[in-house]
Amino acid sequence: MATVTILHTNDLHSELDQWPAAAALLKVKRKAAEERGEHVLLYDIGDHCDRVHPLTEGLMGRGNTELLNEMRYDAVTIGNNEGITLPKAALESLYERAEFDVLVANLYHPDGNRPSWCKPWELYTLPDGYRLAVVGLTIPFYQFYEELGWKVEDPLQEMGELLPEMSRHADGIICLSHLGLRLDRELAEAFPAISVILGAHTHHVLENGELHHQTWIHQCGRSASHIGEITIETESGSPARVKHIHTHEVKGIRGDGETGRHLERLEAEALPQLYHPVAELPEALHVSWYEPSSLTALAAEGLREWCSADAAMFNAGLLLNSLPAGQVTRHHLHQICPHPINPAVVKIEGTDLKKIIRLSNEETMIHYRLRGYGFRGKVLGMTSFYGREGLINGDAERLIEDRRIYSLAVPDLFTFSHLYPLMNDLHSKQYFMPEFLRDVLAWKLEKTYGKASPVTK
């Protein structure tokens, strides 16, 4: 019987200020396990990338891959931030220089072929001869993947199809699951042959893991707040037996110097990629979260035009700051609109559109502190509604016909969050991808003010 230590991370979301501390703790735990004579495996369970950070934005995630290489990860799976916030070509090139396995069982090209940069599972033969099968699954946001040119399949169905083959070749099975705790529990219930599910996506901190039926589930929060350590005992011909599960808090750990220096080099490489000029503003465009403002109105107008919709809604809280007079670059727009949020269009009856306008103007909605759904701001803020003939906020009753069906351009989060339930129930939803709201704003600024001269550095 041999002892193996599994270290794992999940949902960093490019909180790279935290990464040196997490790296330092991983190195300490690896060294301690190796000194005990244990074999060490290191996995990341997705959403390591998040385009909210300029390093990830400038290098389209390739810097994140370098950081994983530096830490000698054995394998990763992808989360929705890698899968549906990167254009297809960027995801295809994300792992070109990866020195680890990328495991995603439920992602395909539309023709049914698997991407060349990943595999569904891998067999790891440990020093004692124990054969460990590791499989990766990602959350299937079907319509988003389809819009980007991918086909994503049901993860439980894929697991059911792969399990017989893995069981023939392996003594034990581990799943890297970017599915969330609810689906992890369904996996554990449906497939008791899985010894351990390393989870992600829902950002739970499972201090000592969770035993669900015969399977252990572990998940370690968000933004490198914690790392996971699982000690398993292996014996040929038997499933892996979990001996200990530890959740280590990263807070207070001194950052690893080598990792910090690597981050500085990557940022120096990434930032110049964002200095492309967008427009030259003759005067500042201001934003206020709590009263009408010129930049919010311009963003709403641009969103309507981009989507060729009858009207658009745009929340001031999506804009974190104003734009000063003078040259505007992609870096400026990333700073004020960092969210990985796409434009979307819904078809909605006039009576429901009036309800949305009234609800958006309530104080509780304006001051609502939203977390998740791609939103990286503080509060939702006031909403500008822009129609084909201008702003319609204060004149909705006259301008909107009750029984008419309108196409309404919205930030995509409103189509799947809890904020406007009537939008969730609509069947007609169209997503505009891979562009983010900041790309639409860049297009509108250039269209309105003309392209700026190149930046001189």
Side-chain angles (χ1 to χ4, degrees), residues 12 23 101 104 114 149 195 220 240 242 246-247 271 299 315 355 363 377 399:
L12 176 67
D101 295 316
V104 196
R114 293 187 183 276
S195 299
C220 294
V242 173
H246 302 283
T247 307
L271 287 178
N315 291 76
K355 290 177 185 177
E363 287 295 310
L399 294 174

Side-chain angles (χ1 to χ4, degrees), residues 69 91 161 169 250 307:
N69 283 342
L91 181 54
E161 293 174 358
H169 292 92
V250 174
C307 297

